[in-house]
Amino acid sequence: MRDGKPADQRPLVVVAKEKNAIVIVAVDNTAARASLESGIPLANARMVCPELNVVDEDKAADTQTLNAVADWCARFTPLVALDPPYGLFLDITGCAHLFGGERNMLTDICHSLRRQNFIVNAAIASTQVCARTMTRAVSSAIVPHGEEKAAVSSLPLFALGANEETIRGLRRAGLKTIGDVAARESHEISARFGAGFTALLQQALGQGDTPISPRKPVPDYVFEKRFPEPIATDAVIASTLDLLSHMLIAAMEKGGKGARRLEASFFRTDGAVSSIMVEAGRPVTQTRTVARLFREKLDALSDPIDPGFGFDLIRLSASHIELVVQEQRDLDAHAQDNDEIAALIDRITARIGKNRVLVYLPQDSHIPERAAIVAPAQHHLVAAQESNWTDRVGGEPPLRPLRMFGMPEQVEVPFAAVPDGPPARFVWRRTLHVVARVEGPERIAMEWWRRKEQIFTRDYFRIEDSNGQRFWLYRDGFYGSEILSNDSKPASPKWFMHGVFA
Amino acid sequence: MISARVSTLATLRKALVRLETTRSPEAGRVRLGHDEADMVLQGGLACAALHEVFAEGRFSATATGFVASVARRIADHRAILWIRQDFAARQAGDLAMTGFAELGLDPRRIVVVFAKNAEMALRIAADGVACRGVGVVVAEIWGETKAFDLVASRKLTLACSESGVTCLMLRLAATPRASTAETRWVVSAAPSPSVAEWEAWGEPVFNVQLVRNRHGSTGQWIMKWVCDECIFSESAIRQSPAHSQSLVASFTDRPDQTFAYARRQAG
């Protein structure tokens, strides 16, 4: 909980609606001194202390704050997991020595967070449940391996984090501390409260552990640079990124690997973390490619990363690692062209997003608008280049339009020569077109298996008007059988402009 | 002393070579196939240059067809980077690859970029023409834009000549303005030539006007795109009686359907 400094000295309480009653869910120190606590209805609290500063609970903001803190914690270990609503797990296996041991690391984390006005309880233990149990009771603790039982035994039951019902049941049975419960035979507890609770208890006692589920996948390579003095100038940031990418590329080169996804994280001194991610269609193996992709991305940001009071840690991580096959390129101009295009696509994608740089993939559908789909070029370039389009029939003029409207536009047809024939003239976009030539109909039945309701069959006509413009019009539905008015007489059909030919 | 002189000479020679290659009019021209037009263009459309194609909004599909055909001539089997503005798609319809394939372009070689506005389209076009792997960059921009001024076109022209990539600007619903384009075309639709009655629907025909040509004269032609051979050719202008062709007579491309239709009408 962020312990803000309210301008007034009134006790601050956060309230939420629970079962139609407004109940306190959090209190500050002043309120706690006035013997208010969470769970008390607001009306009762006002009786105790009429001068209350009441704030509504904002769960979204809480989650956001927790995520921001989790981002910040990524400077200590890549494995950070959320424990909502107010907790974080950090897997610091093999990390502590980088921060001068567990004790120093713990103090470091607590100090930094307290400086940002958070109230922190932290504990280090062999299992996550044990550590969490400790944080519920003490403000800072390190439980050495093998001493979990001794550490948690004297703690009250609620610290376990089991559900309310279980705790109440245990209390009624006269078991008040974790030690009390641990002294019982485990099968007794299981029989009454289920195996889940027994497992929780075992973990709190340091036996057996479940791995944490980190928020982000662990990158394959991480390189970072810490600054004793925060840095803020673009030049230093750029040169740091350069240095890190050199280190990264050198490390990847040893394994003959390249990365498809790169992420640069900037840790600000005040705790804010901003990350920039770039992706590449092909594994990146060169420093200048890394630099160029990041530059494109940074240039395109509408709000460039704000150094504030400066960054004290810049990290470059690489994931989606792929083996790079060394191909012979010199003689094969085609392969070289492809490489350059892939690089171009990466650069444009870094700037404007992958959903704007696209390739077309053919689809096995006879419905004109479903004949092709677009897919991000970055990921589907090879698939697109190897796709099979139906070959054009030699000698045939184009049968499909060059430009198609996403939503077919309705046209007004004053009258058709015959009810199911082509129109003689039509109005499209407020212009009258006089039909000079027609070919059709080409009847396209819709895919009836896709949707429940009836979809009309379309009769397509290729039409050339007196100017030489060529259109692809269709009439929605069979005349007389599908298009019926209310009294089941044939109604006048609707005509749509679906595309335009060259 | 001598070595210094030799190196100066070498640099001068290099500079001269560079100047000559950019100036040479014969280098890198692609024949369109339309003889008169090719003659005016001194052998064909110049590669590694900027060309503009203008069209009224209502002829946008026609202009798209012309640009696509020209791009096919120049790019051959290399990739085409087609940058289209979102607004153009809303006005003129989205690119339909089945139609492109029927014109003779290979959809597999087309990478399309959806640009939010003209500025973005031009910036990406500048990136595209700097990439030697691309055959042709097409930038499709709807309406008037201030972004494409003399400076922008000069930049594109220079980048084109440096990399050898050809840039085609497809300007829909826009009026020509001063630019450094090698050629400028105005395209509109032309009626299909009068053909036998059983051929109702012909190959794409363009009414093409060459309004600016930096290295030659201008002209106006009716061109037909031969989809099978991927080349332009002369097209006879349709005779006037064709206009009054009856609807029924022109239904004749597909015999089975036509007969069915005729029968329905008769009965």
Side-chain angles (χ1 to χ4, degrees):
Chain A
M1 279 264 18
R2 193 178 277 264
D3 181 19
K5 285 181 190 155
D8 49 11
Q9 293 302 310
R10 293 180 298 162
L12 177 76
V13 293
V14 181
V15 295
K17 201 167 181 181
E18 271 174 26
K19 291 178 187 164
N20 280 331
I22 297 177
V23 175
I24 295 179
V25 291
V27 294
D28 75 343
N29 284 338
T30 332
R33 276 198 291 278
S35 70
L36 296 180
E37 60 183 39
S38 60
I40 299 179
L42 180 62
N44 297 11
R46 282 201 197 280
M47 296 294 288
V48 177
C49 182
E51 292 271 298
L52 271 185
N53 187 9
V54 182
V55 178
D56 278 329
E57 187 189 24
D58 184 353
K59 280 196 172 143
D62 283 352
T63 316
Q64 217 176 343
T65 312
L66 190 66
N67 272 308
V69 179
D71 277 342
W72 177 82
C73 284
R75 60 165 59 212
F76 295 105
T77 165
L79 293 165
V80 180
L82 298 179
D83 178 29
Y86 306 120
L88 287 177
F89 288 123
L90 274 65
D91 188 340
I92 55 159
T93 313
C95 299
H97 70 279
L98 298 170
F99 300 90
E102 289 180 349
R103 172 59 60 189
N104 285 340
M105 189 178 190
L106 192 69
T107 345
D108 192 6
I109 295 178
C110 291
H111 265 288
S112 311
L113 284 171
R114 280 184 193 130
R115 261 214 316 272
Q116 297 172 43
N117 275 337
F118 289 101
I119 296 169
V120 194
N121 287 352
I124 297 178
S126 324
T127 68
Q128 49 165 324
V129 179
C130 180
R132 186 177 66 186
T133 310
M134 294 304 292
T135 60
R136 303 257 159 106
V138 294
S139 78
S140 134
I142 295 179
V143 183
H145 189 66
E147 291 175 25
E148 290 86 0
K149 193 166 183 178
V152 298
S153 284
S154 60
L155 301 183
L157 271 177
F158 78 87
L160 265 183
N163 58 17
E164 294 250 328
E165 233 171 281
T166 313
I167 302 294
R168 214 178 300 136
L170 287 165
R171 278 231 186 101
R172 269 190 207 144
L175 304 172
K176 298 231 164 58
T177 63
I178 296 174
D180 292 346
V181 186
R184 293 274 159 177
E185 289 293 325
S186 74
H187 63 88
E188 290 172 17
I189 305 287
S190 298
R192 174 70 177 79
F193 300 103
F197 178 73
T198 321
L200 188 74
L201 185 67
Q202 293 296 332
Q203 285 171 20
L205 296 172
Q207 294 155 15
D209 193 15
T210 45
I212 66 167
S213 42
R215 300 162 67 227
K216 292 177 182 170
V218 182
D220 299 271
Y221 292 90
V222 179
F223 288 92
E224 59 189 32
K225 188 157 171 57
R226 283 161 198 274
F227 303 94
E229 197 71 17
I231 57 148
T233 55
D234 285 346
V236 183
I237 294 170
S239 70
T240 309
L241 266 185
D242 249 16
L243 173 79
L244 291 174
S245 64
H246 268 293
M247 287 156 70
L248 172 70
I249 295 295
M252 290 197 301
E253 213 168 38
K254 271 184 206 155
K257 294 192 173 135
R260 295 254 320 268
R261 184 179 285 176
L262 297 163
E263 192 171 356
S265 309
F266 303 89
F267 293 76
R268 245 160 62 169
T269 40
D270 60 356
V273 182
S274 41
S275 295
I276 297 170
M277 193 181 68
V278 291
E279 282 186 291
R282 297 184 175 202
V284 174
T285 52
Q286 279 171 324
T287 321
R288 65 189 153 93
T289 324
V290 179
R292 200 160 176 187
L293 286 176
F294 275 116
R295 204 179 324 122
E296 294 284 357
K297 189 84 183 184
L298 284 169
D299 286 351
L301 284 182
S302 53
D303 50 338
I305 45 166
D306 174 18
F309 296 110
F311 301 118
D312 58 356
L313 169 64
I314 294 180
R315 168 183 293 173
L316 182 69
S317 52
S319 49
H320 289 226
I321 297 295
E322 277 178 20
L323 268 181
V324 181
V325 184
Q326 296 295 334
E327 291 169 39
Q328 180 180 346
R329 286 292 153 83
D330 297 343
L331 299 176
D332 192 353
H334 184 69
Q336 209 166 345
D337 275 5
N338 264 348
D339 281 356
E340 285 189 20
I341 289 166
L344 175 70
I345 289 170
D346 286 344
R347 286 201 300 276
I348 302 176
T349 303
R351 175 136 28 94
I352 64 173
K354 67 180 171 192
N355 290 330
R356 287 192 165 272
V357 189
L358 305 157
V359 285
Y360 291 90
L361 297 173
Q363 296 295 301
D364 190 14
S365 171
H366 66 280
I367 309 292
E369 58 265 38
R370 299 209 190 105
I373 54 163
V374 285
Q378 197 169 43
H379 305 307
H380 295 91
L381 184 64
V382 178
Q385 284 172 349
E386 284 165 10
S387 58
N388 282 317
W389 292 79
T390 33
D391 291 329
R392 57 168 269 107
V393 184
E396 284 266 3
L399 300 175
R400 288 283 180 267
L402 207 56
R403 306 198 72 130
M404 257 200 272
F405 296 102
M407 288 287 287
E409 296 178 8
Q410 194 170 353
V411 299
E412 286 169 43
V413 176
F415 60 90
V418 281
D420 55 353
R425 51 173 60 88
F426 62 91
V427 180
W428 177 52
R429 291 185 177 175
R430 291 180 289 176
T431 312
L432 179 74
H433 296 273
V434 179
V435 177
R437 288 155 175 257
V438 187
E439 189 192 312
E442 180 184 348
R443 181 157 291 170
I444 297 180
M446 294 297 108
E447 295 168 327
W448 50 265
W449 56 91
R450 278 190 190 263
R451 270 159 55 181
K452 278 272 159 45
E453 70 263 37
Q454 189 190 16
I455 321 164
F456 289 151
T457 305
R458 299 172 183 170
D459 273 355
Y460 279 91
F461 291 90
R462 285 185 279 279
I463 289 176
E464 185 174 316
D465 76 353
S466 49
N467 291 329
Q469 285 176 269
R470 295 161 170 207
F471 306 105
W472 210 35
L473 278 177
Y474 73 84
R475 190 191 53 234
D476 215 14
F478 289 136
Y479 182 80
S481 63
E482 285 185 352
I483 325 163
L484 297 171
S485 58
N486 291 337
D487 51 352
S488 62
K489 292 257 175 62
S492 60
K494 281 182 181 165
W495 288 84
F496 290 93
M497 174 71 65
H498 200 175
V500 194
F501 290 86
Chain B
M1 188 68 192
I2 289 173
S3 69
R5 203 177 285 166
V6 166
S7 72
T8 323
L9 210 60
T11 43
L12 280 175
R13 274 205 184 116
K14 260 187 206 157
L16 205 62
V17 165
R18 210 169 53 231
L19 285 175
E20 274 174 351
T21 44
T22 47
R23 272 194 194 160
S24 152
E26 290 302 320
R29 286 181 182 272
V30 169
R31 209 168 63 85
L32 290 180
H34 189 279
D35 293 337
E36 277 181 47
D38 283 338
M39 212 164 69
V40 168
L41 290 168
Q42 298 173 355
L45 205 61
C47 297
L50 174 71
H51 303 278
E52 287 180 311
V53 177
F54 283 83
E56 283 178 50
R58 60 193 174 122
F59 296 127
S60 47
T62 315
T64 308
F66 180 70
V67 167
S69 310
V70 172
R72 169 67 183 81
R73 290 291 308 152
I74 297 173
D76 206 16
H77 290 292
R78 285 176 296 162
I80 296 174
L81 183 71
W82 193 296
I83 304 153
R84 74 125 176 85
Q85 201 188 336
D86 286 349
F87 192 68
R90 218 167 302 146
Q91 285 292 317
D94 228 326
L95 309 176
M97 281 305 125
T98 37
F100 273 68
E102 283 179 337
L103 274 192
L105 279 87
D106 187 354
R108 292 175 293 191
R109 308 310 268 132
I110 296 178
V111 176
V112 61
V113 177
F114 290 3
K116 226 179 267 171
N117 45 37
E119 289 77 21
M120 190 191 255
L122 285 169
R123 238 196 108 177
I124 292 159
D127 275 6
V129 294
C131 174
R132 281 167 210 272
V134 180
V136 173
V137 174
V138 179
E140 177 185 319
I141 294 170
W142 183 279
E144 310 292 346
T145 172
K146 281 190 184 136
F148 191 62
D149 52 6
L150 259 176
V151 179
S153 74
R154 179 86 189 129
K155 271 185 193 162
L156 275 181
T157 308
L158 279 177
C160 284
S161 62
E162 224 165 81
S163 63
V165 178
T166 313
C167 183
L168 303 173
M169 297 289 300
L170 175 53
R171 302 291 311 278
L172 304 171
T175 45
R177 287 198 347 199
S179 77
T180 58
E182 174 75 25
T183 61
R184 183 179 301 144
W185 306 77
V186 177
V187 179
S188 62
S192 298
S194 70
V195 283
E197 280 197 357
W198 57 86
E199 287 181 326
W201 190 260
E203 283 169 314
V205 188
F206 309 104
N207 180 4
V208 180
Q209 214 178 333
L210 177 60
V211 294
R212 180 196 155 89
N213 180 8
R214 279 165 76 90
H215 295 104
S217 54
T218 57
Q220 181 172 11
W221 308 279
I222 304 280
M223 286 189 190
K224 186 171 90 173
W225 173 254
V226 186
C227 302
D228 288 333
E229 292 155 36
C230 292
I231 197 160
F232 288 99
S233 80
E234 286 81 0
S235 170
I237 299 169
R238 186 162 74 176
Q239 304 300 310
S240 50
H243 285 281
S244 56
Q245 240 181 355
S246 80
L247 285 173
V248 181
S250 59
F251 263 73
T252 33
D253 199 19
R254 302 213 157 169
D256 47 349
Q257 282 173 4
T258 314
F259 288 146
Y261 180 74
R263 265 206 309 281
R264 275 209 304 280
Q265 258 212 333

